[in-house]
Amino acid sequence: MSCYDLSRLLFDLKMKDSVYEKALTDFEDVMANYELTAEEKTALRDGDPRKLRQLGVHGMLCLYIKRLQPEFRDNIYWQQK
Amino acid sequence: MPLVSALAASHAPNILLEPGSEWEDFMDLHYSMAPKGSSNRPTLEQQKKLRQDAEAAFAVLREDLERSHPDVLVVVANDQFVNFFWNNIPTFFVTVAEEVKGQFTRHRFQYRNHKELGNAIIRAGMEKGIDFSYGENIELQHTQNVPLYFLLREPSIPILPIYVNTWVDPAPSPRRCYQVGELIRAVAEQSKERIAILATGGLSHFPGSPRIGEIDEKFDHRLLEVLRDGKGKALADYSVQELLQAGDTEFLNWMVVIGAVGDAKASYTAYMPDFVATGWGFVSWRSL
């Protein structure tokens, strides 16, 4: 099963500041720009990388969902590529 | 001219992150994939010791590199969703830009890119049945920047980034990577320039996996022993699946350099598991 759009959203959260900034204020609106299933949207809202991995997303992309969580927003990881 | 220097080194981000809060950040994020992994965090003193040991290993490699007086450093590494995504995943990619740059936390990197050598490798590959992808616009990332920080901090010579897909399934076979290395060696031997080569990545680690924190030290030690014996070609018999099981798919980058050095024995090896995620490995081949 392809999860291209789900993976793309997670990729954009790290690589595109505009997507990240928008997601902080209106994540539902950001998700609407990608073709996501209801299950994928639920996993994104939950913010648990392990659930995203179960949907077939590459493990490292799964971690990118953590960028939206307050305790991870200043993590040094976002300053490296 | 034969290759003048060959090196391999891990590119784990925490090698260059500062012990303390930056390491904690690194562990906080990665262990969110496997919370139980966080029960075995190294102390600040252990982190500092690891950094010192890595710096000592890099110092040996840097001395070997400088002693060889290279005109260019070929850097074989993998992308990690910085330049390539599922709209296009190249198995092997050669950079033909004028210059390349990137950033790692507060460290900035900028080098001239040796696109003439890049084009020579691409054309030689097409004659020999290895069809590289290539392009002019890439961004350096930790897979290059971490080793370059310790080995070539001042951009005194150009580099040539070559990418191997070690990151997304399916990846090329170790044997194919070895053949790419043989090709690079053949191009070097036809060149009047002094060409050095560096592979980055590994050793055992499981990023983005529930196995994060596991390190297959036994497998890593076996790899290094084979390299010391000058029998790296035998490693081409491994399957990608075997490397994957050991957390060593980035060893595919190393296989390119192993193909380039042939039967040469590694003159220096060092290994240190970081207790966090990765078995850090360092190799130099002085006699090529």
Side-chain angles (χ1 to χ4, degrees):
Chain A
M1 180 184 70
S2 172
C3 52
Y4 182 92
D5 271 48
L6 176 59
S7 299
R8 185 77 210 191
L9 188 158
L10 291 160
F11 173 84
D12 289 346
L13 276 181
K14 184 181 182 194
M15 300 299 289
K16 293 184 177 179
D17 286 343
S18 60
V19 173
Y20 169 64
E21 297 293 340
K22 179 65 177 175
L24 287 176
T25 58
D26 192 345
F27 192 39
E28 296 295 322
D29 192 47
V30 168
M31 286 196 292
N33 292 322
Y34 300 82
E35 291 188 18
L36 302 170
T37 67
E39 185 181 26
E40 290 171 341
K41 288 181 180 177
T42 299
L44 286 166
R45 292 187 192 104
D46 285 349
D48 185 342
R50 290 168 295 183
K51 291 183 179 176
L52 293 167
R53 193 169 187 274
Q54 289 168 359
L55 294 176
V57 179
H58 190 286
M60 285 305 295
L61 288 173
C62 297
L63 294 176
Y64 296 0
I65 194 64
K66 305 296 283 186
R67 195 178 186 195
L68 296 178
Q69 298 172 9
E71 65 272 32
F72 284 94
R73 285 178 193 165
D74 295 327
N75 193 293
I76 193 72
Y77 184 77
W78 316 121
Q79 297 177 42
Q80 64 158 79
K81 288 181 181 174
Chain B
M1 177 175 294
L3 288 165
V4 297
S5 177
L7 310 167
S10 294
H11 61 224
N14 51 328
I15 296 176
L16 187 49
L17 295 174
E18 290 301 315
S21 64
E22 291 188 358
W23 273 57
E24 295 298 329
D25 269 9
F26 179 83
M27 291 185 282
D28 286 344
L29 184 75
H30 283 273
Y31 288 155
S32 64
M33 191 58 84
K36 65 181 181 182
S38 63
S39 62
N40 191 32
R41 295 191 179 206
T43 65
L44 179 59
E45 290 309 310
Q46 288 174 316
Q47 295 171 25
K48 290 179 178 177
K49 175 69 164 55
L50 281 159
R51 171 63 178 262
Q52 290 172 354
D53 291 346
E55 287 183 350
F58 269 121
V60 173
L61 270 58
R62 185 174 63 247
E63 185 176 341
D64 287 351
L65 179 64
E66 291 175 349
R67 189 185 299 140
S68 73
H69 301 293
D71 295 316
V72 54
L73 177 62
V74 178
V75 182
V76 184
N78 54 301
D79 185 75
Q80 294 189 9
F81 299 128
V82 172
N83 296 291
F84 308 121
F85 189 70
W86 271 282
N87 55 321
N88 192 342
I89 302 284
T91 300
F92 299 104
F93 179 98
V94 178
T95 306
V96 290
E98 296 288 344
E99 68 169 14
V100 289
K101 53 188 174 181
Q103 185 170 354
F104 180 94
T105 64
R106 55 203 159 277
H107 310 293
R108 294 180 183 276
F109 302 83
Q110 185 168 359
Y111 300 89
R112 287 174 291 131
N113 182 63
H114 202 312
K115 72 173 186 178
E116 294 81 8
L117 177 59
N119 279 317
I121 291 171
I122 293 164
R123 292 182 191 285
M126 287 179 171
E127 289 183 8
K128 298 289 186 183
I130 299 176
D131 302 325
F132 293 96
S133 296
Y134 53 92
E136 296 189 12
N137 187 9
I138 63 101
E139 179 180 355
L140 299 176
Q141 57 195 286
H142 79 271
T143 60
Q144 294 115 348
N145 292 335
V146 171
L148 287 172
Y149 176 85
F150 296 99
L151 297 174
L152 193 65
R153 200 172 311 177
E154 297 300 321
S156 54
I157 59 172
I159 66 172
L160 176 65
I162 294 179
Y163 291 87
V164 178
N165 171 32
T166 72
W167 198 237
V168 176
D169 181 55
S173 68
R175 183 167 307 284
R176 188 58 161 171
C177 295
Y178 188 92
Q179 291 168 345
V180 169
E182 289 180 312
L183 178 82
I184 293 172
R185 179 177 61 190
V187 171
E189 289 172 347
Q190 295 298 314
S191 173
K192 295 177 180 176
E193 293 191 286
R194 301 176 64 81
I195 298 172
I197 189 167
L198 161 71
T200 88
L203 290 170
S204 175
H205 65 315
F206 298 89
S209 160
R211 295 182 66 186
I212 184 73
E214 291 183 33
I215 301 172
D216 193 336
E217 295 182 41
K218 186 177 178 181
F219 191 89
D220 287 348
H221 281 296
R222 192 183 318 140
L223 294 176
L224 295 175
E225 182 180 357
V226 171
L227 299 184
R228 285 191 295 270
D229 290 343
K231 297 178 179 175
K233 189 172 186 179
L235 299 174
D237 291 334
Y238 275 120
S239 67
V240 173
Q241 192 58 36
E242 286 172 300
L243 295 180
L244 184 67
Q245 182 61 30
D248 262 307
T249 53
E250 286 178 347
F251 193 74
L252 293 171
N253 298 326
W254 290 40
M255 282 305 304
V256 173
V257 169
I258 292 166
V261 304
D263 296 330
K265 292 184 178 181
S267 50
Y268 171 82
T269 64
Y271 183 73
M272 55 208 76
D274 70 0
F275 309 116
V276 175
T278 309
W280 298 353
F282 306 88
V283 178
S284 178
W285 289 264
R286 292 187 190 114
S287 301
L288 297 172

